[in-house]
């Protein structure tokens, strides 16, 4: 790794390297030397910027959440039609395959939520932001007469995010009974029933 000119760049590079190490090895047994090897620096360099492993892992989680939410916005914000936007939103919330690095990293980091208030807050924030994405498109669709919701927009949105999370976990866990395509089909089935839009 080249030597960044400032501490912010060095920290960002270490966070990226730690994310790759976690995605590849998991959190169990993760060592400073694994992160150092991924970053191409000494273990002492990692410890200089992040004396506590927990602080570094929390930064990885924070960055993973921001990238994931940003990617969902990128895929859906420019879509004006509520039906197409809802379809795009559902497509953006599932792992592309069992080895999907972004989803695998998030699921691995979410495991820390029961032991860390920082990780719990990040997990809750991600859920709330995803629910807000769905709530917006559902409310717009309902207000324009495109959707006839069977419950409140917020409740339908929570169910959609929970379905994504549940199916996504099975996909990254290599459950051969559930492909990303099948998961998307099942979520779209719920969305059709919840919005009254049979051609969704």
């Amino acid at each position: 790794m080249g030597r960044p000119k400032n501490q912010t760049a060095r920290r960002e590079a270490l966070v990226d390297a730690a994310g790759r190490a976690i995605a590849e090895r998991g959190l169990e047994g993760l060592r400073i030397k694994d992160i150092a090897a991924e970053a191409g620096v000494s273990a002492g360099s990692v410890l200089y910027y992040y004396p506590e492993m927990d602080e570094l892992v929390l930064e990885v989680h924070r960055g993973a959440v921001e990238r994931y939410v940003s990617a969902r916005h990128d895929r859906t914000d420019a879509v004006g039609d509520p039906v197409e936007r809802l379809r795009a939103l559902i497509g953006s919330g599932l792992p592309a395959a069992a080895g999907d690095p972004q989803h695998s990293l998030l699921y691995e980091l979410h495991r820390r939520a029961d032991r860390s208030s920082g990780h719990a807050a990040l997990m809750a924030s991600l859920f709330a932001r995803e629910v807000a994405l769905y709530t917006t498109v559902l409310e717009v669709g309902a207000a324009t007469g495109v959707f006839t919701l069977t419950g409140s927009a917020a409740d339908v949105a929570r169910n959609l995010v929970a379905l994504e999370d549940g199916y996504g976990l099975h996909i990254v866990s290599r459950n051969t009974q559930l492909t990303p395509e099948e998961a998307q089909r099942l979520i779209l089935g719920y969305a059709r029933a919840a919005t009254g839009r049979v051609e969704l």
Side-chain angles (χ1 to χ4, degrees), residues 73-151:
H73 276 288
D74 288 347
R75 284 186 60 182
T76 60
D77 283 357
V79 182
D81 177 68
V83 172
E84 291 306 314
R85 188 169 181 179
L86 182 56
R87 182 179 283 279
L89 195 50
I90 291 169
S92 74
L94 289 168
D100 184 296
Q102 188 174 49
H103 283 84
S104 296
L105 179 59
L106 281 169
Y107 281 116
E108 186 72 20
L109 292 165
H110 288 347
R111 294 175 52 212
R112 288 275 173 111
D114 65 337
R115 299 185 300 276
S116 162
S117 60
H119 288 284
L122 285 169
M123 187 175 177
S125 169
L126 176 57
F127 181 77
R129 292 164 74 179
E130 290 181 287
V131 167
L133 279 171
Y134 273 112
T135 299
T136 298
V137 69
L138 291 167
E139 287 178 342
V140 169
T144 56
V146 175
F147 298 149
T148 303
L149 301 180
T150 58

Side-chain angles (χ1 to χ4, degrees), residues 4-200:
K5 294 180 180 178
N6 59 60
Q7 291 195 356
T8 299
R10 174 55 63 87
R11 285 177 175 273
E12 289 173 354
L14 290 173
V15 169
D16 288 344
R20 292 192 301 273
I22 292 167
E24 182 179 324
R25 299 171 178 84
L27 284 168
E28 298 302 324
L30 180 70
R31 299 163 298 176
I32 292 292
K33 71 177 191 176
D34 297 326
I35 297 166
E38 192 69 42
V41 300
S42 69
S45 293
V46 177
L47 289 169
Y48 175 79
Y49 289 98
Y50 290 100
E52 299 293 331
M53 174 82 85
D54 288 346
E55 180 188 355
L56 177 53
V57 173
L58 189 63
E59 283 301 310
V60 172
H61 197 171
R62 185 174 290 112
V65 166
E66 291 305 320
R67 285 190 303 275
Y68 180 66
V69 173
S70 177
R72 297 198 77 173
H73 276 288
D74 288 347
R75 284 186 60 182
T76 60
D77 283 357
V79 182
D81 177 68
V83 172
E84 291 306 314
R85 188 169 181 179
L86 182 56
R87 182 179 283 279
L89 195 50
I90 291 169
S92 74
L94 289 168
D100 184 296
Q102 188 174 49
H103 283 84
S104 296
L105 179 59
L106 281 169
Y107 281 116
E108 186 72 20
L109 292 165
H110 288 347
R111 294 175 52 212
R112 288 275 173 111
D114 65 337
R115 299 185 300 276
S116 162
S117 60
H119 288 284
L122 285 169
M123 187 175 177
S125 169
L126 176 57
F127 181 77
R129 292 164 74 179
E130 290 181 287
V131 167
L133 279 171
Y134 273 112
T135 299
T136 298
V137 69
L138 291 167
E139 287 178 342
V140 169
T144 56
V146 175
F147 298 149
T148 303
L149 301 180
T150 58
S152 73
D155 284 351
V156 174
R158 289 186 192 102
N159 283 331
L160 286 165
V161 175
L163 285 169
E164 286 177 353
D165 289 348
Y167 287 136
L169 180 59
H170 282 277
I171 292 166
V172 299
S173 300
R174 303 184 187 281
N175 182 343
T176 58
Q177 299 179 58
L178 189 70
T179 64
E181 294 76 19
E182 178 68 1
Q184 184 165 348
R185 183 188 70 78
L186 291 166
I187 295 173
L188 283 168
Y190 168 74
R192 281 192 290 272
T195 63
R197 194 76 188 186
V198 295
E199 73 275 22
L200 183 66

